Amino acid sequence: MEKSSVVVVRRETNGDDDEGREALFSQLKALSLELLSLSQTPRKDPSAIPELLGLLRRAPPSSLQSFFHYTLFPLLLLLDGAVACRRSQGDAVVVSDRVAEGVVSCLEELLKKCHVGSVDQMVVVMKKLTSGAILTPSEASEEFREGIIRCFRAMISGLVPCVDGSCGCKRVPGWPQLSDGSDYQTQVSEYDLGTGECLVAFLQSHSALAAVGHWLSILLKVADAEASRGHRGSAHLRVEAFMTLRILVAKIGTADVLAFFLPGVVRQIVKVLHVSRAMISGAAGSVDALDQAIRCLAEFLMIVLDDEANSSALCISDDDSKLQKHESAHSVLDQLRSLTIKSQGQQSNELTETTSQEIAHEKSSQKLSGDSFHVERTKEWLEKTTSHVNKLFCETFPHILTHPAGKIRWGFLAAIRGLLSKSPRSLKGARLVMLECVCTLVVDDSNEVSAAAQETLDHLFSERSKYHVESDISKIFSRLVERLPKVVLGNEELPALSVVKQLLVVTYYSGPQFLADHLQSPITASRFLDTFALCLSHNSAFTGSLEKLLADRPSSSTGYLPSITELKVGFRETARNHSEPDQGKLELSQTTTSFTLPRMPPWFSYVGSQKLYEMLAGILRLVGLSLMTGPENNGSLAVILDIPLGFFRRLVSELRVKEYNGEDWQTWCNRTGSGQLVRQAATAACILNEMIFGLSEQATDTLSRLLRKGRDNKLISWEVSWNKRAKTHLIDCVGKILHEYQSPEVWDLPVDQTDQHNISLHFSRDTAMLHQVIIEGVGVFSLCLGEEFASSGFLHSSLYLLLESLTYSNFQVRNASDSVLRLLATTSGHPSVGHLVVANADYVVDSICRQLRHLDLNPHVPSVLAAMLSYIGVAHEILPLLEEPMRLVSQELEIVGRQQHPNLTLPFLKAVAEIVKASKNEASLLPDQAKLYSDQVKTKATDAIASAQERGSDFNVEEWEHILLELNRSKRYRRTVGSIASSCLVAATPLLASTNQVSCLVALDIIEEGVVALAKVEEAYRAETETKETMEEVIEFASLYELKDYMNATDDGADENRLLPAINKIWPFFVACIRNRNHVAVRRCLNVITRVIQTSGGDFFTRRFRNDGQDFWKLLITSPFHVMTPKSLREENKSVLRLPYRTMSDSPSSSSIAEVSSLKVQAALLNMIAELSRDKRCASALDAVLKKVAGLVVGIACSGVTGLREAALNALRGLACVDADLIWILLADVYYSLKKKRGLPLPPSPEFPEISTVLPSLPEDSQGRFLYVEYGGRSYGFEVEFSSVETIFKKMQSLVFADQMSC
């Protein structure tokens, strides 16, 4: 609420201190004499002025009033001199700015504490102040001109009503009615009101009208002059001018006096409001000045257009009211015109000639009574005046609403409240505009403004008969609905946001019955929803301003500073975002997730902000809420929902016709109107989602926080009576919508641009946005229904659709699916999405199996299966349910299946990879569990047998039967895990020979995981066997033969030997993968072979390396940097390895592979040799080819190929663990042969032969003069280099051979 201004009146008492008065008089006398001398010699040191100012501030008003005339006289003399020297160009006495400003400060302080004694005295002071007020900025300083205005304000502020009850001063407010602070507080001493003249009545008389009009013009011109100066203008001076103007208007306070000045004052203040639209800084953009101007305009109109003051004009009557004649104003006019003014410029002329121009203009435009300033306020005058005022309001008010300063909007609201309270009938034409403004401020960003606006609206609705709000609201609603598409699809957001706010508030405060009645007619309802469909349509993406597009698009200066335009737009957007609260945002937060539903549709971001969409969505939510509010639900919601659902049905119908005619997607998408159908369906989905969401508790709470600010209103109730009938009706409506949402034709629309679907980019984006909005709708419906979403069957029908959407290439669709899945998990009471899927796994797996049987119709199901297993991370929990899907997947990965659906091979492999990963995780837990259970059974059996032997106690049959059942259960689960892992291996093994690199790599991952899973399964089997043997002992000892039937129930075959048979089938495909020479696949294959051998042991691979090892060792024969000559090619029947940029060989089979890739393959093979030879369990795999491998590795280590030196050294160290003597002989043979037997070490004792006799002696011209060549065979490009030989030999001597010699 506004605070009222205060006048503190000090009463004079007979008990004043005489000594204090004498002391004050003596000080004033001395200072006054100095001021008089200063007026004659102004260049004298003006120290008396600060002393006088301090004295006036300290002196009490009661004592100072006695010496008012004594003190006022020298101050007025100095003021005259200061004004004269600033206005004249002649020999006038110069009064410095310091002196002039000090004089006006003293005069202001004096007028604050003392009252003017008579009319004559007030006229004199006004005359002096008027001469100073009309000085231009070029003539006087800002401080001096501001001080003059403050002096005038202090003088009129001290005017108080007289004691005469019949005086006209009692009928005026006396102070600004919209005062919001203590700026107008002043202290004056009370004088004898019974004997003096009433100065307030004098201001209201026609004798003072000319002076009043002159001051009104001066104050307005001063404010306008400061605004025109731009950044040089004074905002404080403008504020003082408007504050003084408000007090002057309040002191006059009668419509009879102020009506004459209404056109000029209103026009000038409206000009101020218009200028503020373009100016955001300087004096013209001052927030305080604009606030004062708005309040001044409202207070002026509240007095002149007051309904009570204009009751005769408002009533329907033929009698003209007789107006009282007033005295002539020529006396005051003569005094004011007697002022000698010498203009120094055009601006001075405008200020000094204001009175004559304003009065002449007003006389020519108004009907005057004789020669007075009185206006006959007839019905015609009132209609003409209010029409102009209404026009100005319509042009000005909408722009004030969007002002960023909350203080402006607060003052604007106060102005509207005052006008609606004082002039509801006089301003009936502007009442709609003012109500719209109040509605906008109800959802203002400032909580203070919003709460006050809501209080105002509540008051208006509580007195509907007085303010005719019902008819006004109906008119406003219709007008806003018509304006809505134009402003939303325009290029300015703030006007659109203002209109949408108004419509939201009008809809809410009108109540649900008003909206339900409006939508009762099918034509009206269809037109209403079509309006919102147009506002939310994709067409809005092309109506945003260029600045909005710049703000939304990625920066054009990536890596550099943004452009100037982008910086400006970003600054405005940031400021706007800071001013917008998040109270309309519905956020569901968990400990690990945070997401918002419903979201703004992606195509709407170009036309407006999230705030604009929240307001539009709020209206749609109220539509859905109004159709369900009330004691009885007649099914009108379902009828209204059929309007947007019609767009979905039309799209589905067109798609079915396309399928019937056998058209391809490219033809259908290029047909005129097809894209429009998709866009209309997306917009309809957005509308449906918001209407249904309006029925949720979240939406109701948000609207209540936004529009009620926590206050209850018994007149408006939007609560829904959720009885059984209403709940059933809502479920039926949701089911109807989901039926259209889940139409297969809608989800068959292509989203990806592929060779099969050669469609345009914009059409695929439209389809993706349609799917995104549909998916978010599923989440919205779950929010509304809560637990009943699952009990009604909607969860089961939607879960597979959401999992399928996780495989989309469009990120927005995947993100929406992820958010909705998390939301469904939360609303269903599950801690994660994985638990949600596990709880409904039977429905999901059943849908997958059903679609796997018809891959031609459901080619996306492999990707769905893979995404589901990888996303939810609970494949191990639904592993028993995956046997049938795995069987169907294995069939599709066979030769026939791959030929029928070659594009599904990779998705199927990814699904198998997820399944085998889950199998490995489960299998890794089985051995420990089986071992622990076996130990527990053994302990229990030992204790039971000992107890029976010592005490002769009987065995508890039920307990051992339970143990046996638990053993059988673990057997079945182990066999299930083993069966699934075996199926994965069988399905992936043929793909090892694939030339497709990605398929081969995924298959290798499956093999690695599957082999580990089978090894763990067999380990668990061995622990179960021990448990079984313990159980047999117990059965034999206790003669529990009836338990043998339970024990043999699960022994349906010897299926426990799974690992080695599987590896036996995999090995040929390993060899085929090596032969394909795909370097990435070969490196991965060598790594997998190492893991497989480490898992199963090396004995099984001894014969396999002997038979098939040649394909491995071929990788180590030729150096990547060796160029094969034609002669060597003919001898070896090999092709040349070339880089792509080198000349190709004549052989068609030659490959173009980079040397680095070949080096990586050879390094991977050497690392495999090192790892296998170091592991005693795996080293036996190389027994049959040890000399061959050792020779090849020594040859590489002794060559000049430094890129393989570390890998070769690692391999030699590993081979030395198998046979160190062999490695030493091969290295020593090369090393000492190259040293030509110089520096050979002596034998440790005479009984040992010399090294030269031990080493083989081959002819130097022989290609195989070294022993490693005899063992490993001939190689190409690995020529022996002594520096490499010496380095390798010394490192091996220090790392390996020295330790063995010491042993």
Side-chain angles (χ1 to χ4, degrees):
M1 296 298 293
E2 292 99 354
K3 301 177 183 178
S4 60
S5 301
V6 178
V7 179
V8 180
V9 179
R10 301 286 186 179
R11 292 183 177 272
E12 297 194 29
T13 61
N14 297 326
D16 288 343
D17 188 8
D18 295 336
E19 295 180 0
R21 287 176 179 271
E22 292 178 359
L24 177 62
F25 177 74
S26 62
Q27 296 180 33
L28 287 174
K29 179 180 179 181
L31 292 175
S32 298
L33 292 175
E34 291 187 21
L35 291 180
L36 290 174
S37 63
L38 183 63
S39 64
Q40 301 298 324
T41 57
R43 292 181 177 84
K44 188 178 179 181
D45 183 16
S47 59
I49 293 179
E51 294 179 5
L52 177 62
L53 180 61
L55 179 61
L56 293 176
R57 288 175 178 173
R58 295 191 302 271
S62 57
S63 301
L64 193 60
Q65 181 66 43
S66 303
F67 314 111
F68 173 68
H69 305 281
Y70 191 84
T71 310
L72 180 64
F73 177 70
L75 292 176
L76 292 180
L77 283 178
L78 282 173
L79 180 61
D80 275 341
V83 172
C85 75
R86 280 158 177 76
R87 195 186 305 131
S88 65
Q89 300 288 342
D91 298 332
V93 179
V94 178
V95 180
S96 65
D97 288 343
R98 182 179 180 183
V99 174
E101 293 165 8
V103 167
V104 294
S105 298
C106 294
L107 185 58
E108 177 191 357
E109 192 66 28
L110 181 64
L111 293 174
K112 279 184 179 180
K113 293 187 176 182
C114 301
H115 57 78
V116 180
S118 64
V119 172
D120 294 335
Q121 192 176 47
M122 186 174 71
V123 170
V124 171
V125 175
M126 287 180 64
K127 178 180 177 181
K128 303 295 184 182
L129 294 177
T130 302
S131 62
I134 62 177
L135 292 176
T136 64
S138 62
E139 294 173 338
S141 66
E142 173 188 327
E143 290 77 7
F144 180 77
R145 292 182 291 116
E146 182 179 348
I148 293 292
I149 302 297
R150 295 175 67 91
C151 289
F152 182 74
R153 179 160 69 94
M155 183 187 70
I156 61 176
S157 297
L159 303 180
V160 295
C162 62
V163 296
D164 186 3
S166 61
C167 183
C169 64
K170 299 296 188 298
R171 298 191 297 270
V172 299
W175 289 101
Q177 302 179 62
L178 304 179
S179 176
D180 61 345
S182 59
D183 294 330
Y184 306 106
Q185 180 174 344
T186 185
Q187 297 181 3
V188 296
S189 61
E190 185 176 348
Y191 51 92
D192 189 0
L193 299 175
T195 59
E197 299 175 279
C198 182
L199 300 181
V200 177
F202 170 73
L203 281 180
Q204 299 172 356
S205 66
H206 272 58
S207 300
L209 277 182
V212 169
H214 194 191
W215 267 102
L216 290 175
S217 179
I218 288 174
L219 294 173
L220 291 173
K221 289 297 183 181
V222 167
D224 184 63
E226 294 302 317
S228 63
R229 297 179 65 202
H231 287 279
R232 296 179 302 164
S234 172
H236 293 288
L237 185 53
R238 292 192 79 207
V239 173
E240 287 296 329
F242 283 122
M243 291 173 63
T244 305
L245 183 62
R246 293 178 61 189
I247 296 178
L248 180 59
V249 170
K251 289 297 181 181
I252 299 172
T254 60
D256 293 334
V257 177
L258 295 177
F260 174 80
F261 305 106
L262 183 142
V265 173
V266 171
R267 185 166 51 250
Q268 193 67 24
I269 296 180
V270 170
K271 178 183 176 182
V272 173
L273 302 182
H274 276 291
V275 171
S276 66
R277 295 170 50 188
M279 301 295 292
I280 59 175
S281 61
S286 171
V287 173
D288 293 332
L290 183 58
D291 177 51
Q292 293 293 330
I294 293 171
R295 294 175 183 270
C296 180
L297 176 63
E299 290 166 353
F300 197 94
L301 294 177
M302 287 167 61
I303 296 173
V304 177
L305 300 180
D306 185 24
D307 287 351
E308 295 182 1
N310 298 282
S311 58
S312 60
L314 292 173
C315 295
I316 303 176
S317 175
D318 295 335
D319 298 331
D320 296 332
S321 59
K322 302 296 183 179
L323 301 178
Q324 183 181 358
K325 299 295 182 180
H326 295 273
E327 57 181 306
S328 175
H330 287 292
S331 58
V332 181
L333 280 175
D334 291 339
Q335 293 181 6
L336 293 175
R337 289 174 178 172
S338 65
L339 297 173
T340 57
I341 300 174
K342 295 181 180 181
S343 176
Q344 296 182 0
Q346 182 178 0
Q347 188 174 10
S348 177
N349 290 332
E350 292 178 357
L351 288 174
T352 55
E353 297 175 4
T354 298
T355 304
S356 60
Q357 293 177 0
E358 291 287 340
I359 294 177
H361 178 75
E362 302 305 331
K363 284 185 177 180
S364 62
S365 60
Q366 300 190 49
K367 182 179 179 181
L368 302 181
S369 175
D371 57 347
S372 69
F373 290 92
H374 183 73
V375 177
E376 296 182 4
R377 290 178 285 113
T378 62
K379 182 177 181 181
E380 291 77 11
W381 174 88
L382 186 61
E383 291 177 354
K384 182 179 179 180
T385 302
T386 55
S387 65
H388 289 294
V389 173
N390 297 342
K391 183 179 179 181
L392 294 176
F393 281 3
C394 295
E395 295 176 355
T396 308
F397 279 12
H399 303 287
I400 302 177
L401 281 175
T402 59
H403 199 282
K407 185 175 183 179
I408 299 298
R409 301 194 300 274
W410 170 258
F412 183 54
L413 175 62
I416 294 177
R417 293 170 65 177
L419 291 173
L420 288 175
S421 62
K422 291 290 186 178
S423 311
R425 298 187 62 186
S426 298
L427 294 175
K428 62 180 180 180
R431 194 166 60 233
L432 297 182
V433 177
M434 291 188 287
L435 285 176
E436 290 177 358
C437 295
V438 175
C439 292
T440 304
L441 296 175
V442 166
V443 287
D444 192 80
D445 298 334
S446 171
N447 291 332
E448 184 181 12
V449 176
S450 177
Q454 292 176 14
E455 183 179 352
T456 302
L457 213 54
D458 290 341
H459 175 70
L460 293 176
F461 273 84
S462 64
E463 301 182 6
R464 293 174 183 244
S465 59
K466 178 179 179 181
Y467 297 111
H468 309 283
V469 175
E470 290 184 350
S471 60
D472 291 343
I473 287 298
S474 180
K475 295 177 183 178
I476 293 174
F477 183 83
S478 301
R479 187 167 69 173
L480 292 176
V481 171
E482 293 179 1
R483 292 174 55 194
L484 190 60
K486 181 179 179 180
V487 294
V488 171
L489 299 181
N491 58 0
E492 295 184 9
E493 180 183 350
L494 293 181
L497 185 60
S498 178
V499 172
V500 176
K501 285 181 177 179
Q502 293 168 9
L503 185 57
L504 174 63
V505 175
V506 168
T507 305
Y508 183 83
Y509 277 84
S510 299
Q513 192 59 43
F514 170 82
L515 191 56
D517 294 341
H518 181 78
L519 299 175
Q520 190 171 7
S521 171
I523 298 177
T524 307
S526 179
R527 188 178 303 166
F528 180 82
L529 292 180
D530 287 344
T531 299
F532 278 86
L534 181 60
C535 295
L536 296 174
S537 65
H538 290 64
N539 297 329
S540 61
F542 306 101
T543 58
S545 63
L546 181 60
E547 294 182 352
K548 185 67 178 176
L549 295 175
L550 286 173
D552 288 339
R553 71 177 177 85
S555 176
S556 59
S557 53
T558 304
Y560 302 92
L561 289 175
S563 64
I564 299 299
T565 304
E566 292 168 344
L567 286 174
K568 290 180 179 179
V569 174
F571 173 78
R572 282 191 289 270
E573 290 296 324
T574 303
R576 185 181 305 170
N577 292 339
H578 282 305
S579 65
E580 293 180 359
D582 293 334
Q583 57 187 355
K585 187 176 182 181
L586 301 175
E587 186 170 347
L588 179 63
S589 301
Q590 302 296 329
T591 57
T592 58
T593 62
S594 179
F595 45 88
T596 306
L597 282 179
R599 299 173 178 173
M600 181 176 68
W603 64 82
F604 194 75
S605 59
Y606 294 100
V607 65
S609 62
Q610 178 73 25
K611 186 71 173 179
L612 177 60
Y613 176 74
E614 285 292 338
M615 296 296 109
L616 287 170
I619 301 172
L620 291 173
R621 295 167 189 174
L622 290 178
V623 171
L625 196 59
S626 65
L627 299 174
M628 293 291 292
T629 305
E632 296 183 0
N633 298 289
N634 54 4
S636 55
L637 178 61
V639 177
I640 299 300
L641 293 178
D642 283 334
I643 298 174
L645 282 177
F647 294 105
F648 264 94
R649 292 166 182 151
R650 193 181 311 165
L651 173 62
V652 172
S653 177
E654 289 293 329
L655 291 174
R656 289 174 180 172
V657 172
K658 171 257 176 192
E659 188 71 22
Y660 179 79
N661 295 332
E663 290 183 273
D664 59 354
W665 282 113
Q666 184 177 4
T667 304
W668 188 84
C669 294
N670 293 334
R671 184 193 303 170
T672 303
S674 298
Q676 187 67 18
L677 288 174
V678 176
R679 296 190 183 111
Q680 288 176 349
T683 306
C686 179
I687 293 175
L688 290 169
N689 296 345
E690 294 296 347
M691 289 176 64
I692 297 298
F693 182 72
L695 301 172
S696 64
E697 294 182 0
Q698 293 89 337
T700 306
D701 295 341
T702 301
L703 288 172
S704 178
R705 291 195 305 269
L706 181 66
L707 299 170
R708 301 305 317 154
K709 299 300 182 185
R711 295 182 292 110
D712 295 331
N713 188 355
K714 299 180 180 180
L715 299 177
I716 303 174
S717 177
W718 285 89
E719 295 182 0
V720 179
S721 178
W722 287 113
N723 49 34
K724 184 177 181 180
R725 180 180 178 183
K727 206 70 176 178
T728 304
H729 181 52
L730 177 59
I731 293 173
D732 293 341
C733 292
V734 171
K736 180 194 297 186
I737 298 174
L738 284 177
H739 176 73
E740 301 297 338
Y741 278 7
Q742 297 173 2
S743 298
E745 292 82 5
V746 174
W747 292 95
D748 288 339
L749 286 167
V751 178
D752 303 325
Q753 288 183 301
T754 61
D755 296 335
Q756 297 177 351
H757 300 152
N758 189 14
I759 60 175
S760 60
L761 176 61
H762 66 82
F763 190 91
S764 62
R765 291 183 61 186
D766 289 344
T767 305
M769 288 188 287
L770 169 62
H771 292 171
Q772 176 185 348
V773 176
I774 291 176
I775 291 170
E776 291 174 357
V778 175
V780 169
F781 302 156
S782 67
L783 278 176
C784 297
L785 295 179
E787 297 179 354
E788 295 184 357
F789 185 79
S791 61
S792 302
F794 300 145
L795 176 61
H796 301 151
S797 62
S798 305
L799 188 56
Y800 181 82
L801 176 65
L802 297 174
L803 294 173
E804 179 184 353
S805 301
L806 293 173
T807 64
Y808 271 52
S809 59
N810 185 276
F811 167 76
Q812 300 295 338
V813 178
R814 295 200 309 271
N815 187 38
S817 302
D818 175 73
S819 299
V820 174
L821 282 171
R822 295 174 186 271
L823 176 62
L824 290 177
T826 303
T827 55
S828 302
H830 298 288
S832 66
V833 178
H835 292 82
L836 172 67
V837 175
V838 169
N840 302 273
D842 48 349
Y843 297 97
V844 177
V845 174
D846 181 66
S847 299
I848 291 176
C849 293
R850 184 173 61 253
Q851 297 195 29
L852 281 173
R853 299 187 187 100
H854 306 284
L855 284 175
D856 294 330
L857 299 177
N858 306 286
H860 54 273
V861 66
S863 300
V864 175
L865 179 59
M868 180 190 73
L869 296 176
S870 61
Y871 170 76
I872 62 176
V874 291
H876 59 282
E877 297 190 23
I878 61 173
L879 200 59
L881 299 176
L882 296 179
E883 280 192 279
E884 183 179 359
M886 193 60 236
R887 179 178 57 82
L888 297 173
V889 169
S890 300
Q891 293 176 1
E892 291 300 325
L893 289 178
E894 294 177 356
I895 296 177
V896 177
R898 295 203 305 271
Q899 288 180 348
Q900 291 178 349
H901 309 102
N903 58 319
L904 301 181
T905 299
L906 187 58
F908 272 124
L909 279 177
K910 291 180 179 179
V912 174
E914 295 298 329
I915 295 175
V916 75
K917 187 184 298 183
S919 301
K920 189 197 77 169
N921 294 336
E922 285 299 295
S924 300
L925 302 175
L926 294 179
D928 294 336
Q929 295 175 356
K931 183 64 177 175
L932 180 61
Y933 190 69
S934 178
D935 294 340
Q936 292 176 354
V937 173
K938 286 181 180 179
T939 302
K940 187 173 294 186
T942 302
D943 295 341
I945 293 175
S947 176
Q949 290 176 347
E950 293 175 2
R951 305 185 187 89
S953 58
D954 297 334
F955 281 78
N956 189 346
V957 179
E958 293 182 357
E959 180 182 1
W960 289 100
E961 182 178 353
H962 175 72
I963 293 174
L964 190 56
L965 291 174
E966 185 65 23
L967 176 62
N968 292 338
R969 187 202 62 78
S970 64
K971 282 184 180 181
R972 286 192 298 270
Y973 186 70
R974 173 184 53 79
R975 288 176 177 173
T976 299
V977 175
S979 175
I980 293 175
S982 299
S983 299
C984 294
L985 291 176
V986 171
T989 296
L991 274 302
L992 295 177
S994 174
T995 56
N996 185 289
Q997 179 176 297
V998 179
S999 299
C1000 184
L1001 291 176
V1002 177
L1004 286 169
D1005 293 338
I1006 295 172
I1007 297 300
E1008 183 178 9
E1009 303 280 354
V1011 168
V1012 175
L1014 290 183
K1016 295 295 183 180
V1017 168
E1018 289 193 358
E1019 185 179 352
Y1021 167 71
R1022 290 190 289 271
E1024 288 177 0
T1025 303
E1026 296 178 1
T1027 306
K1028 180 180 178 182
E1029 293 174 355
T1030 304
M1031 288 296 302
E1032 290 177 349
E1033 293 179 5
V1034 173
I1035 290 172
E1036 291 294 336
F1037 180 82
S1039 301
L1040 302 175
Y1041 299 107
E1042 65 274 12
L1043 298 181
K1044 281 193 174 183
D1045 297 334
Y1046 293 101
M1047 183 177 296
N1048 298 328
T1050 57
D1051 295 338
D1052 52 355
D1055 59 343
E1056 312 310 332
N1057 187 17
R1058 299 176 184 268
L1059 180 60
L1060 295 182
I1063 294 177
N1064 186 48
K1065 295 178 181 179
I1066 295 171
W1067 178 257
F1069 293 95
F1070 277 150
V1071 177
C1073 180
I1074 298 297
R1075 289 173 181 169
N1076 284 338
R1077 294 295 193 269
N1078 187 318
H1079 281 47
V1080 177
V1082 169
R1083 285 160 51 195
R1084 177 62 179 147
C1085 182
L1086 294 173
N1087 189 22
V1088 172
I1089 290 174
T1090 303
R1091 301 293 174 263
V1092 170
I1093 296 175
Q1094 290 173 346
T1095 301
S1096 57
D1099 296 339
F1100 184 75
F1101 293 90
T1102 302
R1103 183 169 58 86
R1104 284 158 181 78
F1105 272 119
R1106 184 182 60 201
N1107 297 336
D1108 303 321
Q1110 189 63 25
D1111 294 297
F1112 293 85
W1113 319 137
K1114 283 181 181 180
L1115 300 174
L1116 300 177
I1117 291 177
T1118 305
S1119 169
F1121 305 101
H1122 177 66
V1123 179
M1124 301 294 289
T1125 63
K1127 180 179 179 181
S1128 60
L1129 285 175
R1130 288 193 297 270
E1131 292 175 356
E1132 299 297 331
N1133 193 21
K1134 293 183 178 179
S1135 59
V1136 185
L1137 281 170
R1138 299 279 188 182
L1139 283 175
Y1141 51 82
R1142 295 183 180 176
T1143 304
M1144 299 300 296
S1145 172
D1146 297 334
S1147 174
S1149 61
S1150 62
S1151 58
S1152 56
I1153 302 175
E1155 290 91 340
V1156 176
S1157 299
S1158 298
L1159 283 177
K1160 291 180 179 179
V1161 171
Q1162 292 173 340
L1165 182 54
L1166 291 173
N1167 290 333
M1168 184 192 78
I1169 294 171
E1171 291 188 33
L1172 293 180
S1173 56
R1174 279 201 177 109
D1175 193 342
K1176 294 182 179 180
R1177 186 166 177 265
C1178 304
S1180 58
L1182 301 176
D1183 286 347
V1185 291
L1186 183 61
K1187 291 184 178 181
K1188 174 74 174 179
V1189 173
L1192 290 173
V1193 175
V1194 170
I1196 294 174
C1198 296
S1199 69
V1201 183
T1202 57
L1204 297 176
R1205 181 175 297 172
E1206 291 298 327
L1209 177 62
N1210 189 28
L1212 288 176
R1213 294 180 63 185
L1215 292 172
C1217 296
V1218 180
D1219 192 345
D1221 295 338
L1222 174 63
I1223 303 303
W1224 184 87
I1225 290 176
L1226 294 178
L1227 288 175
D1229 174 45
V1230 180
Y1231 179 67
Y1232 291 118
S1233 297
L1234 293 178
K1235 293 190 70 172
K1236 300 187 182 297
K1237 301 183 180 180
R1238 294 192 303 273
L1240 296 178
L1242 297 176
S1245 61
E1247 59 186 23
F1248 289 99
E1250 294 184 358
I1251 294 179
S1252 58
T1253 61
V1254 176
L1255 298 176
S1257 57
L1258 298 175
E1260 294 185 1
D1261 58 348
S1262 173
Q1263 294 182 355
R1265 65 191 182 99
F1266 296 120
L1267 186 61
Y1268 80 85
V1269 179
E1270 295 295 328
Y1271 285 169
R1274 184 179 177 183
S1275 59
Y1276 301 93
F1278 293 111
E1279 288 78 10
V1280 175
E1281 186 175 317
F1282 179 74
S1283 60
S1284 299
V1285 174
E1286 186 177 20
T1287 301
I1288 292 296
F1289 186 77
K1290 289 182 178 180
K1291 285 186 177 181
M1292 289 295 294
Q1293 188 75 20
S1294 61
L1295 296 175
V1296 179
F1297 302 143
D1299 295 338
Q1300 293 184 351
M1301 292 175 63
S1302 62
C1303 295

